[in-house]
Amino acid sequence: MFQDLSFSLEQGSALVVTGANGIGKSSLLRTLAGLVPLAEGTIRLEDGEPEKLPQEQAHYFGHQDAVKPALSVLENLDFWQSFAAPSVHESFSGSSLQPLAALETLGIGHTALLPAAYLSAGQKRRLSLARLLVTPRPVWLMDEPTSALDKASEQQLLGLMNDHLAAGGLIVTATHTELALNTINVLHLEAPDPADQVPEEALL
Amino acid sequence: MDLGPHAGFIIASYGLCLLTVLALIAWVRIDKANQERALKELADQGISRARPDQGRN
Amino acid sequence: MAFWDYANPTRFLKLVQVLLPWLVGLCVATFAIGLYMAFFTAPEDYQQGDTIRIMYIHVPSAWLCMMCYTVMSISSIGTLVWKHPLADVSAKSAAPIGAAFTFMALVTGSLWGKPMWGTYWEWDARMTSVLVLLIMYLGLMALWRTMDDPIKAGKAAAVLTLVGALNLPIIKFSVDWWNTLHQPASVVRLDGPTIHSSQLWPLLVMALAFTLLFFVLHLMAMRNEVLRRRVRALRMRAASVSRPATASASAQPAE
Amino acid sequence: MTGWAMALFRRDLRLSVRIGGSAIVGVLFFLAVVTVFPFGVGPDLNLLARIGPAILWIGALLATLLGLDRLFQADREDGTLDLMLMAGRPLELVVLIKCLAHWLSTGLPLVVAAPLFSVFLNLDPVAMAAVTATLLVGTPALTLIGAIGASLTVSLRRGGLLLAVLVVPLTVPILIFGVSSADAAIHDPVPFMTPFLILCALTLIAAVVGPIASAAALRFAAD
């Protein structure tokens, strides 16, 4: 999928991946999340917990919310808190809120006992985001994090992301909109010249 | 009272019918309690049919 | 017209409130009389002995499971033709009751059959079609449970109920025909012996008691269903209230 | 250590109880299969009693297989599966726990319903007990082997039929020993325990092979 792609990211900084539609921003994030196998190359998280794979120390916040409509909002979040293994080490002190507190922070505390089926798209998105706050993990992989959020929630999300960076976390995010993050590196993905684009079969 | 050689079958059928009816009654009552509790919880949050346009508080 | 006045859910709830205590009292009284007659005044059958007493619950529950399906079919027409919300509520809350009555008819029939025919179950036309009716009831209940949106679920279930209403007589006839191919009419049929008035009266009283029981349970279940939909609507409102809450939360950025 | 396992178990049980009552539908399907057989072979009670254990086993097999396609698919569709792969928990155990919860909510009701349905098939009490016992031991194996098929077809839109086609051959040994031990209990000369113990062994093997193969398939499916 990618050729000659290499980047490194320092603690407390964010990488914003930009590029045209279909260039493979989502694929890059999914590769980092370990959901797409690497053909060659490595992903390393230095200073992390050595016995764990990089993706087990990362949160993936993708297009899908992973919200079960039949469970209550709190049950959804409780499950992820118990199920996802936390990952902390000395240089990273991420937030580990209690589920209710996380819901309150995101402004959906009053829905805690309702079945998640009653949530609007934006509320489901925020419930999914609350997942990142209840289990501390140093790396956040966020694919279009601001989609389905209104302006106010977007501001709040930026606040949370900056907090995460300040606590020593890493963020890799694919986005179309400008994000006011504190420390930004930009990775711009570009398609090679059409002339260079030889179908793989032709090479065989 | 003597129910004859097949008393067991008679008692069993009446007993099972009674159980089924009791189960139905229990279902109806528990369901009612559940719905009323949910309505009450919602009313405590300030959401009720009477005041449709009032939000929280 | 009085019927249409009470078709409004809120008025309906009020009507239930008034009607229910009387119905419950009447139902209990009828059951007391019916059970007394069934056990103390009704004579033994000269052929079946005391097992005839099972008839006083078996036959009414069998009647009721048919009647319940009729109620559901009429309600389904109400759902599809007039799109009336209470019709759908009525059909949905009748299904579990119908299933329970069908279950009672099957169980008592089978417990009656064991001493009389020597087997709990016979693939006889009547029993088989009642078993199919039970499957229909349970299938309808599953359909209602599986679909989230009560309006959509109500329409789907109404279509299935009506198709089932057409299909059940066909099942009855075809099974009759299927069965007689293999088994000559040696089976003791319920409708075989002419019924004596000393047995007929307890049966009629019990049938009335069962009918009252059905209406009591149906009204209570319908009330629950109306409440359930109310809860659903209010919960949707409760969730959507959040908009202002978000704005206030973002005024003070998260720590 | 075990907290996450309980959380997953409880979540899966809750979901299966709340969504559409999969247990009810499974048992209903079982009942439908059992009811349809006499229409096919005729209402001859002696014949039904003879083939009754086989009918119950085939009914349970089909009911189990048809209920399995949602085992992972529902989680994949809403993105939960991706997060489960990243959760840092052993995937084999995750599969095993999901299977256990799935069996409790769909397999166990089949076992409980089996004695009731065997009345329709004119089984005597010994046969009834034997079939129930074999189903109790055998249906977990069906779920565990079916999980392999469920994870292989997880990315397909209409995986249900393919799942059944893939898994039925693998369940043949379980069917053979399940039915033969039930038959052995009915016709005295053959000992009941021999095929029954083999059935138990098959279930234990399935409890090892199923989760490992299924976890491997899930890892490949995630792309």
Side-chain angles (χ1 to χ4, degrees):
Chain A
M1 185 88 203
F2 302 107
Q3 272 188 343
D4 308 326
L5 178 65
S6 157
F7 60 86
S8 62
L9 197 56
E10 270 181 39
Q11 185 168 21
S13 61
L15 179 72
V16 176
V17 184
T18 58
N21 278 336
I23 196 82
K25 299 189 293 292
S26 293
S27 301
L28 176 63
L29 285 181
R30 288 183 70 80
T31 310
L32 290 175
L35 298 171
V36 178
L38 270 181
E40 60 189 275
T42 52
I43 301 166
R44 268 184 313 150
L45 184 65
E46 280 169 20
D47 252 5
E49 291 175 85
E51 73 275 18
K52 281 188 180 173
L53 296 170
Q55 65 259 31
E56 291 173 357
Q57 303 171 49
H59 274 302
Y60 176 66
F61 182 63
H63 294 287
Q64 291 166 313
D65 294 325
V67 167
K68 291 286 174 198
L71 299 180
S72 83
V73 171
L74 193 59
E75 281 169 345
N76 265 298
L77 194 54
D78 270 337
F79 166 70
W80 285 116
Q81 190 190 26
S82 322
F83 188 70
S87 163
V88 274
H89 50 94
E90 56 272 21
S91 58
F92 168 70
S93 56
S95 79
S96 52
L97 291 176
Q98 282 309 301
L100 256 182
L103 292 177
E104 285 295 343
T105 307
L106 290 166
I108 49 174
H110 65 287
T111 63
L113 298 178
L114 291 179
Y118 294 110
L119 297 189
S120 67
Q123 287 172 326
K124 279 191 186 137
R125 200 95 182 113
R126 274 179 270 161
L127 170 55
S128 188
L129 191 61
R131 205 160 42 77
L132 277 57
L133 302 180
V134 293
T135 309
R137 285 186 167 195
V139 183
W140 287 7
L141 305 168
M142 311 177 93
D143 197 355
E144 299 286 353
T146 53
S147 68
L149 291 181
D150 53 22
K151 269 276 171 280
S153 320
E154 198 179 311
Q155 284 307 315
Q156 198 186 6
L157 172 65
L158 284 175
L160 292 172
M161 288 168 80
N162 278 327
D163 292 342
H164 180 68
L165 294 177
L170 295 173
I171 292 178
V172 180
T173 174
T175 180
H176 284 299
T177 49
E178 291 287 312
L179 292 176
L181 293 171
N182 292 342
T183 336
I184 297 192
N185 304 295
V186 176
L187 174 68
H188 187 70
L189 294 182
E190 249 178 29
D193 275 339
D196 296 346
Q197 253 182 335
V198 187
E200 219 171 298
E201 294 83 44
L203 294 173
L204 297 175
Chain B
M1 165 172 158
D2 180 30
L3 287 177
H6 301 305
F9 290 102
I10 301 173
I11 295 168
S13 18
Y14 276 86
L16 276 170
C17 279
L18 183 68
L19 277 183
T20 316
V21 172
L22 285 182
L24 272 178
I25 294 173
W27 164 65
V28 167
R29 299 205 71 126
I30 292 171
D31 198 16
K32 179 161 185 272
N34 282 341
Q35 303 312 326
E36 281 177 348
R37 205 188 52 227
L39 278 177
K40 195 171 169 300
E41 272 170 16
L42 286 163
D44 288 346
Q45 280 187 32
I47 291 154
S48 69
R49 283 167 54 82
R51 294 162 294 163
D53 288 317
Q54 218 146 337
R56 285 190 335 146
N57 308 324
Chain C
M1 229 163 81
F3 175 78
W4 292 112
D5 283 349
Y6 289 109
N8 169 306
T10 312
R11 290 222 185 91
F12 169 77
L13 287 186
K14 277 191 191 131
L15 176 73
V16 171
Q17 205 70 32
V18 175
L19 220 53
L20 209 50
W22 293 96
L23 273 178
V24 170
L26 203 57
C27 177
V28 171
T30 322
F31 258 111
I33 300 169
L35 285 173
Y36 177 81
M37 287 172 88
F39 276 96
F40 296 104
T41 71
E44 295 174 15
D45 192 79
Y46 72 100
Q47 223 177 0
Q48 306 199 3
D50 272 304
T51 43
I52 194 73
R53 301 196 196 282
I54 296 179
M55 178 184 79
Y56 302 123
I57 46 175
H58 173 70
V59 173
S61 48
W63 283 346
L64 259 290
C65 70
M66 309 292 266
M67 195 194 86
C68 183
Y69 202 86
T70 315
V71 168
M72 282 174 67
S73 306
I74 295 170
S75 304
S76 299
I77 296 175
T79 308
L80 291 180
V81 177
W82 294 291
K83 301 192 172 50
H84 199 280
L86 266 187
D88 175 30
V89 166
S90 154
K92 183 179 177 186
S93 43
I97 305 171
F101 278 120
T102 316
F103 176 73
M104 283 185 338
L106 283 174
V107 167
T108 52
S110 141
L111 283 168
W112 193 5
K114 181 67 180 174
M116 292 299 104
W117 310 333
T119 171
Y120 284 109
W121 186 261
E122 184 81 44
W123 289 95
D124 135 82
R126 192 174 289 243
M127 297 172 83
T128 308
S129 43
V130 173
L131 178 62
V132 173
L133 179 64
L134 178 67
I135 297 179
M136 291 281 310
Y137 273 128
L138 295 175
L140 281 167
M141 285 164 67
L143 183 61
W144 258 303
R145 282 204 57 168
T146 315
M147 297 175 88
D148 291 330
D149 184 355
I151 308 280
K152 267 188 204 160
K155 279 184 188 150
V159 171
L160 183 58
T161 309
L162 289 177
V163 175
L166 291 177
N167 195 32
L168 277 174
I170 299 175
I171 292 173
K172 177 83 179 65
F173 287 125
S174 59
V175 167
D176 230 333
W177 178 77
W178 166 75
N179 190 255
T180 46
L181 273 184
H182 297 259
Q183 299 239 327
S186 66
V187 181
V188 182
R189 289 298 181 90
L190 283 175
D191 46 5
T194 44
I195 198 159
H196 194 266
S197 68
S198 61
Q199 291 173 338
L200 183 63
W201 276 111
L203 182 60
L204 289 180
V205 175
M206 282 303 271
L208 179 64
F210 268 71
T211 313
L212 285 170
L213 178 67
F214 169 75
F215 281 115
V216 167
L217 289 170
H218 190 213
L219 284 181
M220 287 167 88
M222 277 177 78
R223 177 173 62 187
N224 289 347
E225 189 58 31
V226 171
L227 291 180
R228 191 188 339 274
R229 290 183 186 189
R230 200 163 278 184
V231 168
R232 190 183 141 86
L234 289 180
R235 277 186 171 162
M236 281 184 167
R237 189 176 299 160
S240 66
V241 161
S242 74
R243 292 292 175 202
T246 320
S248 67
S250 62
Q252 36 175 19
E255 315 145 32
Chain D
M1 182 60 208
T2 51
W4 66 268
M6 271 314 287
L8 177 64
F9 183 69
R10 292 231 311 273
R11 182 196 84 127
D12 271 33
L13 271 189
R14 271 200 192 122
L15 282 175
S16 54
V17 170
R18 288 189 200 164
I19 299 180
S22 48
I24 305 171
V25 181
V27 171
L28 214 51
F29 180 79
F30 191 17
L31 173 62
V33 171
V34 170
T35 314
V36 161
F37 260 97
F39 290 120
V41 301
D44 177 353
L45 285 180
N46 292 327
L47 176 64
L48 286 177
R50 204 165 68 241
I51 61 173
I55 296 177
L56 286 173
W57 258 95
I58 290 174
L61 172 70
L62 293 180
T64 311
L65 288 189
L66 292 185
L68 266 171
D69 59 334
R70 300 298 291 167
L71 182 60
F72 301 113
Q73 216 172 36
D75 278 341
R76 182 185 163 95
E77 278 164 10
D78 64 9
T80 305
L81 192 62
D82 289 343
L83 301 179
M84 284 186 165
L85 291 169
M86 296 173 63
R89 310 293 186 188
L91 197 54
E92 288 78 9
L93 270 184
V94 170
V95 172
L96 187 64
I97 291 164
K98 279 185 83 73
C99 285
L100 187 64
H102 188 267
W103 179 78
L104 271 183
S105 60
T106 60
L108 193 57
L110 299 181
V111 178
V112 173
L116 191 64
F117 294 169
S118 51
V119 171
F120 294 133
L121 301 171
N122 192 34
L123 295 190
D124 56 38
V126 178
M128 208 183 278
V131 173
T132 312
T134 54
L135 282 176
L136 182 65
V137 171
T139 43
L142 297 181
T143 304
L144 288 159
I145 291 177
I148 305 174
S151 48
L152 285 171
T153 57
V154 69
S155 54
L156 305 180
R157 274 209 150 269
R158 299 178 59 223
L161 273 182
L162 181 59
L163 183 150
V165 171
L166 294 179
V167 170
V168 162
L170 303 177
T171 56
V172 166
I174 298 161
L175 196 62
I176 289 175
F177 285 101
V179 175
S180 67
S181 51
D183 275 340
I186 302 166
H187 315 295
D188 262 335
V190 205
F192 169 70
M193 281 318 272
T194 320
F196 189 70
L197 285 178
I198 296 177
L199 183 65
C200 295
L202 284 174
T203 302
L204 291 179
I205 293 171
V208 177
V209 175
I212 292 176
S214 173
L218 281 181
R219 286 203 187 92
F220 291 135
D223 57 338

